Amino acid sequence: MIPRRKTRQVKVGHVFIGGDAPVSVQSMTSGYTHDIDACVAEIRKLADAGADIVRVAVPERKDTEALKEILKQVCPNGKTGGDSGGVPIVADVHFHFQRAMEAIEAGVHKIRLNPGNITDRSQVEKVIDACKERSLPIRIGVNEGSIIERKDKQKRMKELGGVFGDNKHGHFLAIMVAKLEEYLDIFYARNFYDITISAKSIDPLLVVAAYEEISKRFDHPLHLGVTHAGPKETGTIRSVVPLGHLLAQGIGDTIRISYANDPIYEVQDGLELLYILGLRTRKGAELIACPSCGRIQVDLFTLTQNVNKALKAQIHLPIKVAVMGCVVNGPGECEGADVAIFAGDKRGIIYVQGEKVANVPEEQILDRLLEETRKFQSKVERGEAKLGEKVVDILPPDPLGELGSGYAKIEAEKAVANGVSLPVMKG
Ligand code: SF4
């Protein structure tokens, strides 16, 4: 387990952030909030995919006006979590503090403010007081993109001074921290501590530097993210490298991965990142698959894709399933899998917790693997087996000879080297 940095805890609807709460996954709707039906559908889709918290943009009054109805539909009886199935909603506020006031009135569970564009102290105080009255937390988001002055040219030039020198990160970091401290003073002066902080940037190295620095200075929970990470194809690496680095150090209490794509991928990838770091308990099966190589004698890519799809639909326990192209490296690479298949010459051998249960031709691999996985799931549910109890431990030559492929090839190569001709083994 990764030891987590101690932070104060805040509560967003039924979801705790910080303290000993698990790291939560957030996402944001991509459509217009005032399009009530579409917004509700998107929130539900994200919640079904596993989002713990969903944020919506409220740039106009018609958006905050729509919030009341949206909240009524996604949080039945005003509740989140448990049987209600409701998901906490955050209003993302920029430029107009009135939108925050209207969103609070509508019943949202958290407000996000940007110190880069809501700067009037008395306006910020109004939002703080309204949130305090309803025990709502506020996220202060000091994004790199909006932290530098935009309206006042002189001030902007002063803030940008040195940015293009050697110390771009240090310069931006200093501005982000200074503006954050200044903003936090307004909150502290009103005894308001239900705060989460984010310091996003498009630059992954600045993200790491900013969160490391902020985590040393404040004990508020941190919302991690890389802003405008781009399309999923490249945005995954841009996001996961800094977020993984920070999370592995115990920094970060809630995350959002941002893609220029359907936000469903943000939730899926955010959860997967937390699963592989052991920061959340996986829901559903975990699939391990080999990348395939010149030893392959089945259509492994199609098999893996089909197994992946079927596991998502049929398996709800965190069963570890391995799909290996051959038995040369497969057994070692999938140690710890509950269910494993090793393919050979157009066939595959299936193991369940170290025990061989079948040797089937290629066309039967998918169905049999799923059947065995479902059977194993039922056994676990009945208390007759435990996940991860027995590791896959397959010692050569079994099943090398049985599968025919890897073994036959290895022996044939050896024979050629020795000038002897061997009959090819069949599984
Ligand atoms: S398991 Fe076999 S086929 Fe798959 S990558 Fe490893 S050696 Fe190649």
Side-chain angles (χ1 to χ4, degrees), residues 290-296 300 323-331 333:
C290 85
S292 165
C293 73
R295 294 179 187 90
I296 203 80
L300 190 92
V323 175
M324 292 292 151
C326 78
V327 288
V328 175
N329 291 328
E333 286 165 4

Side-chain angles (χ1 to χ4, degrees), residues 386-404:
K386 265 194 195 158
L387 294 174
E389 193 176 38
K390 291 180 209 154
V391 297
V392 173
D393 186 15
I394 300 150
L395 300 173
D398 184 29
L400 290 170
E402 210 176 324
L403 278 169

Side-chain angles (χ1 to χ4, degrees), residues 159-383:
E159 286 188 351
L160 276 174
V163 163
F164 302 106
D166 291 342
N167 190 19
K168 181 187 167 192
H169 285 166
H171 186 87
F172 266 109
L173 187 56
I175 292 176
M176 282 165 114
V177 170
K179 292 210 175 177
L180 180 60
E181 277 178 340
E182 208 180 293
Y183 216 57
L184 278 169
D185 279 347
I186 309 175
F187 290 70
Y188 295 161
R190 298 189 96 71
N191 287 321
F192 188 93
Y193 299 95
D194 274 351
I195 298 163
T196 64
I197 296 173
S198 63
K200 301 185 186 181
S201 162
I202 193 170
D203 179 338
L205 296 178
L206 180 55
V207 168
V208 169
Y211 281 103
E212 283 178 349
E213 186 61 31
I214 289 168
S215 74
K216 283 185 216 146
R217 290 171 184 251
F218 310 103
D219 65 354
H220 299 295
L222 298 183
H223 168 122
L224 304 186
V226 172
T227 193
H228 310 124
K232 180 171 159 46
E233 291 76 12
T234 50
T236 309
I237 307 257
R238 188 182 282 275
S239 303
V240 162
V241 168
L243 265 55
H245 179 83
L246 289 163
L247 289 165
Q249 296 180 68
I251 297 173
D253 303 281
T254 182
I255 63 170
R256 182 203 174 190
I257 291 183
S258 319
Y259 293 141
N261 208 321
D262 186 334
I264 201 96
Y265 298 118
E266 302 180 356
V267 180
Q268 288 170 358
D269 290 359
L271 282 169
E272 188 58 33
L273 177 60
L274 298 180
Y275 291 154
I276 61 163
L277 290 172
L279 289 166
R280 286 281 289 262
T281 307
R282 185 179 288 278
K283 284 187 185 145
E286 176 178 9
L287 177 60
I288 303 157
C290 85
S292 165
C293 73
R295 294 179 187 90
I296 203 80
Q297 289 179 294
V298 294
D299 180 359
L300 190 92
F301 291 163
T302 307
L303 176 64
T304 304
Q305 274 172 16
N306 290 337
V307 171
N308 194 25
K309 245 187 260 162
L311 288 177
K312 278 193 180 131
Q314 299 176 23
I315 304 299
H316 54 267
L317 293 184
I319 297 173
K320 215 173 195 177
V321 178
V323 175
M324 292 292 151
C326 78
V327 288
V328 175
N329 291 328
E333 286 165 4
C334 75
E335 250 177 38
D338 296 296
V339 182
I341 181 260
F342 302 97
D345 189 3
K346 304 279 177 232
R347 3 188 6 99
I349 297 187
I350 297 167
Y351 278 77
V352 178
Q353 291 218 324
E355 212 176 291
K356 188 175 80 183
V357 294
N359 179 345
V360 291
E362 183 175 3
E363 57 279 10
Q364 291 175 24
I365 291 176
L366 178 67
D367 287 347
R368 190 61 192 267
L369 182 73
L370 291 167
E371 187 191 325
E372 294 300 336
T373 312
R374 285 193 305 268
K375 265 178 16 197
F376 178 66
Q377 176 167 258
S378 305
K379 272 176 84 176
V380 173
E381 283 173 331
R382 290 196 303 270

Side-chain angles (χ1 to χ4, degrees), residues 41-60:
E42 207 177 357
I43 291 169
R44 288 199 173 128
K45 192 172 89 167
L46 294 171
D48 287 348
D52 300 298
I53 296 167
V54 177
R55 188 156 42 112
V56 299
V58 288
E60 297 181 55

